Amino acid sequence: MASVSRPREKRIAKPPKAAKSEAVLLYQVRDEIAFMTLNRPEKLNALNGALSDALCATWSRFEADPAAKVAILTGAGKHFCAGADVSPGAIDREVPFQVHQGYPQNGITVFKPIVGAIKGYTLGAGYALAVRGCDITIAGESMLMGFPEARIGTPLPPMEYLPYMPFKISLEFMLLAWNGGQIMDAHRAYEVGLVNKVVEDERVMDEAIRWAELLKKIPPLYIKSVKYGHYKTTDNKVRVDEREYILFTHPQEISRDRQEGLQAFLQRREPKFTGR
């Protein structure tokens, strides 16, 4: 569960500090901006099951929050997100695509604008959150993008990196983004269109707030139509199949009705379904 603080009357340029909170994700609204902070700095904000679940729930919360017009997504500490947490037990393998469920479903269920304030390691799942999870991405000069999967030869579906960069650049990125020594820095990411602006690390949050203030002035229905149209063009069969399994098939597989049906069959009686 993401932590909540009361909005302040006067906006400040830094997200709330997490020193006294054990929440893996912080959520605070100030001046119609929802500040969402990945809060596992000791793990470089790697996505474990708890953080992925918190993100999934908080995107819905943000979309329904009447006090928030735009979100700023950032990470506590020096790094945005080092990818998925591969520690034993960090991710519940019985939950399908648990890490992916932490990504906002832009243009599908999330239509409010999202600005990323990104520094340091932005790897794997962190790349996905920063590039396809954020509508506008502000990068600090320390930002580094890459996929650790290249170190061990784990393949990735093209939906992770196309169509967000040109074909030739995507090949370079995926073939050489780690072992080949071509991990992408902030300025290269700007050159190929993966981020909207690069600033000094200490200015990242100020710049993200500046862009959020601009987005607050745009009519919400206009933003919704633009997001729908843009993300519609990035959808592909792999992503649609994944989303449909998560939304429709898996809930039925773990439902009480499925268990009731199985028990009724074994007990040779009529099942009593409840729609749950």
Side-chain angles (χ1 to χ4, degrees), residues 10 27 33 44 58 92 102 104 106 133 136 150 154 159-160 162 184 188 194 202 212 218 226 250 253 264:
K10 184 177 180 181
Y27 180 92
I33 300 174
L44 307 184
T58 304
D92 187 348
N106 283 315
I136 301 294
T154 300
M159 74 177 201
E160 294 292 353
L162 286 172
M184 190 175 288
R188 178 63 167 158
L194 293 180
E202 59 269 20
I218 310 300
V226 169
H250 185 251
E253 290 179 344

Side-chain angles (χ1 to χ4, degrees), residues 58-223:
T58 304
W59 292 124
S60 298
R61 175 184 180 180
F62 161 63
E63 184 68 17
D65 191 342
K69 288 186 176 180
V70 58
I72 292 179
L73 178 65
T74 192
K78 297 181 179 180
H79 301 281
F80 173 62
C81 177
D85 190 337
V86 297
S87 303
I91 297 169
D92 187 348
R93 299 299 176 183
E94 294 187 2
V95 178
F97 311 107
Q98 187 175 31
V99 169
H100 290 197
Q101 291 194 48
Y103 307 159
Q105 295 291 329
N106 283 315
I108 298 168
T109 60
V110 180
F111 296 98
K112 292 179 180 178
I114 303 166
V115 179
I118 313 299
K119 297 186 295 183
Y121 288 149
T122 305
L123 309 174
Y127 164 88
L129 275 175
V131 175
R132 66 183 175 96
C134 297
D135 305 306
I136 301 294
T137 305
I138 308 301
E141 291 182 329
S142 68
M143 189 200 74
L144 294 170
M145 282 184 171
F147 273 89
E149 285 82 353
R151 301 181 69 179
I152 56 174
T154 300
L156 288 164
M159 74 177 201
E160 294 292 353
Y161 45 91
L162 286 172
Y164 304 99
M165 62 182 91
F167 179 81
K168 297 291 286 185
I169 303 302
S170 71
L171 282 175
E172 169 196 330
F173 184 65
M174 295 311 299
L175 291 174
L176 299 172
W178 197 275
N179 276 356
Q182 297 292 326
I183 192 166
M184 190 175 288
D185 64 22
H187 292 286
R188 178 63 167 158
Y190 178 76
E191 288 175 359
V192 301
L194 293 180
V195 303
N196 296 87
K197 191 165 185 177
V198 178
V199 297
E200 297 88 351
D201 279 10
E202 59 269 20
R203 291 183 52 220
V204 168
M205 184 55 66
D206 288 328
E207 187 66 16
I209 290 173
R210 189 179 74 82
W211 285 67
E213 292 290 347
L214 294 173
L215 288 164
K216 282 165 53 176
K217 300 176 182 179
I218 310 300
L221 289 179
Y222 175 82
I223 291 177

Side-chain angles (χ1 to χ4, degrees), residues 5-17:
S5 300
R6 293 183 179 178
R8 297 181 181 179
E9 294 182 0
K10 184 177 180 181
R11 175 175 59 80
I12 59 176
K14 299 293 182 182
K17 293 184 179 180

